[in-house]
Amino acid sequence: MKIYPYKRLNRPITFRVTSVSLTLADGTRDQLDTSAYSTQQQAVALGVVGHDDWLNATIGLSATLPPGADAPDAAWSDVHVLAVLTDGETNVRTSTNLARDAEGSRDWSGSLEVLRDDHVGRASLAVYAVGTVDGVAQRSIAETDRSWIVDTVSDEPVSGLQLEVRKGSFTRSSREWLRTYADAPWIVDTSARVPTVFVNTDVEGIVGLLDSNGSGVESKVGDLLVAQMATDVWTAVFHGAMGDLEVEPGGNPVFPTDWQGEVLREMLPDVVPGVHVEEALRLVHRRRTGDSGWAELQTRIHYAAIRRAEASRALGYAIRSLEQANRESEK
């Protein structure tokens, strides 16, 4: 949690997306339905099927400031509310001013333009309130505590970790680096735009297990295999995210705005329990870059990955399925 040398609002700004429209290559505008954004997921999906030729998107927004924003004795004046879209991959930052809905209202609304050429994947959308405090203008007095995700590629508004799974022979792969891992059942690549899991089809039976459905033993073993794969994925993406952190001049790490930030916010509460995520990030960063403490954290990181992969549940299902199969074979 950051410490500010001036008074601020104690509660965060709440905001939601109210509309999404696309401007197409022929100049026409298409108003998307509510399936393009999800308040529960806090995500917007602009990769709408049939609209590959869109040039820019307009996202309608509505924000509500916390109580006290316009108190007569407030320590700030000249309040403005801004929506800010940040893309960590392209280093593009777009902002727009929102307008107060009515005199004395805590509700503000407006729209933000998203230029397709400025983005290659997922960007982070947040709202800030700024004002003049102690004679200094444009000081932040409140912001959202959780950003929305704007995905320019996906057709489904999902904010969680997105994975790409590719199946193929490692020994005959056109990706030469995969041939080095010919004896591995799968490999996780965290250097791509989204984390990618390469499944080695040279391992006999692996595809059948991963694709198995139903309630039989084979299906439960397949679920266990997926859980093990997911554990490896969560571990790899956590280490990848920590390794790519940007650091402020004062030495404090900055939360990434893409999938890496989502991974860290998801796992840090289990890696460093009982601590605010920003403080947890600083603690883990210090241990990773310092002289000691990083090795001791590996158990917590692995535990966090196991929880996200729901490995215990998959193992329990597999054990019960095997026990039932053994009982039936003994009859």
Side-chain angles (χ1 to χ4, degrees):
M1 182 177 296
K2 292 184 178 180
I3 304 299
Y4 294 86
Y6 57 88
K7 291 185 178 180
R8 285 168 36 93
L9 288 163
N10 295 323
R11 294 169 61 185
I13 299 171
T14 59
F15 88 102
R16 64 187 183 279
V17 170
T18 56
S19 65
V20 178
S21 63
L22 299 178
T23 299
L24 308 182
D26 61 4
T28 60
R29 182 178 291 271
D30 188 6
Q31 188 75 32
L32 304 183
D33 60 31
T34 56
S35 64
Y37 54 95
S38 168
T39 300
Q40 180 179 6
Q41 290 288 328
Q42 292 193 272
V44 178
L46 300 178
V48 180
V49 176
H51 287 310
D52 296 332
D53 60 341
W54 67 275
L55 301 179
N56 67 282
T58 302
I59 300 177
L61 305 169
S62 178
T64 302
L65 301 189
D70 293 317
D73 58 348
W76 48 82
S77 61
D78 193 27
V79 174
H80 296 272
V81 178
L82 303 92
V84 180
L85 183 70
T86 306
D87 192 321
E89 292 188 70
T90 60
N91 290 322
V92 171
R93 185 181 177 92
T94 305
S95 64
T96 186
N97 281 291
L98 303 185
R100 194 190 298 266
D101 289 355
E103 184 68 28
S105 173
R106 291 191 288 115
D107 297 324
W108 298 63
S109 59
S111 61
L112 179 82
E113 295 294 320
V114 181
L115 299 180
R116 185 174 187 175
D117 289 344
D118 286 345
H119 307 279
V120 295
R122 293 155 73 84
S124 177
L125 178 61
V127 174
Y128 300 84
V130 299
T132 300
V133 186
D134 297 334
V136 180
Q138 300 297 309
R139 278 187 160 178
S140 174
I141 61 172
E143 61 273 326
T144 48
D145 60 351
R146 181 184 174 191
S147 299
W148 276 58
I149 296 299
V150 177
D151 194 322
T152 59
V153 178
S154 175
D155 61 356
E156 184 179 359
V158 178
S159 64
L161 176 64
Q162 300 296 292
L163 297 174
E164 184 172 350
V165 178
R166 298 186 181 182
K167 302 172 184 177
S169 167
F170 282 15
T171 57
R172 298 186 299 275
S173 176
S174 59
R175 297 177 175 84
E176 293 187 7
W177 64 271
L178 273 179
R179 300 173 192 172
T180 306
Y181 308 104
D183 59 343
W186 58 77
I187 286 292
V188 183
D189 178 15
T190 62
S191 64
R193 183 183 62 81
V194 295
T196 302
V197 182
F198 292 93
V199 178
N200 189 3
T201 56
D202 294 332
V203 177
E204 185 176 357
I206 189 171
V207 174
L209 281 175
L210 292 175
D211 294 342
S212 61
N213 295 310
S215 57
V217 174
E218 185 177 83
S219 176
K220 295 300 180 287
V221 174
D223 292 343
L224 186 59
L225 187 65
V226 170
Q228 178 59 56
M229 183 185 298
T231 300
D232 291 349
V233 169
W234 279 104
T235 303
V237 295
F238 183 87
H239 282 281
M242 288 301 304
D244 286 342
L245 285 179
E246 292 185 6
V247 180
E248 295 176 332
N252 287 327
V254 180
F255 263 107
T257 57
D258 53 10
W259 64 264
Q260 295 178 327
E262 296 167 26
V263 166
L264 294 175
R265 291 184 186 278
E266 182 75 15
M267 293 183 67
L268 281 171
D270 281 327
V271 177
V272 188
V275 177
H276 191 277
V277 288
E278 292 190 358
E279 177 58 32
L281 181 66
R282 288 193 287 269
L283 188 153
V284 174
H285 174 69
R286 286 196 299 269
R287 291 196 179 186
R288 192 185 73 83
T289 57
D291 297 330
S292 63
W294 180 236
E296 288 78 0
L297 275 182
Q298 300 310 303
T299 301
R300 297 294 312 183
I301 294 170
H302 189 235
Y303 168 69
I306 289 174
R307 287 199 64 192
R308 295 303 168 283
E310 298 184 335
S312 296
R313 186 174 67 173
L315 178 60
Y317 286 159
I319 291 174
R320 286 192 292 272
S321 183
L322 287 171
E323 290 176 343
Q324 181 179 353
N326 289 335
R327 286 195 297 269
E328 291 176 353
S329 64
E330 292 172 356
K331 291 180 180 179

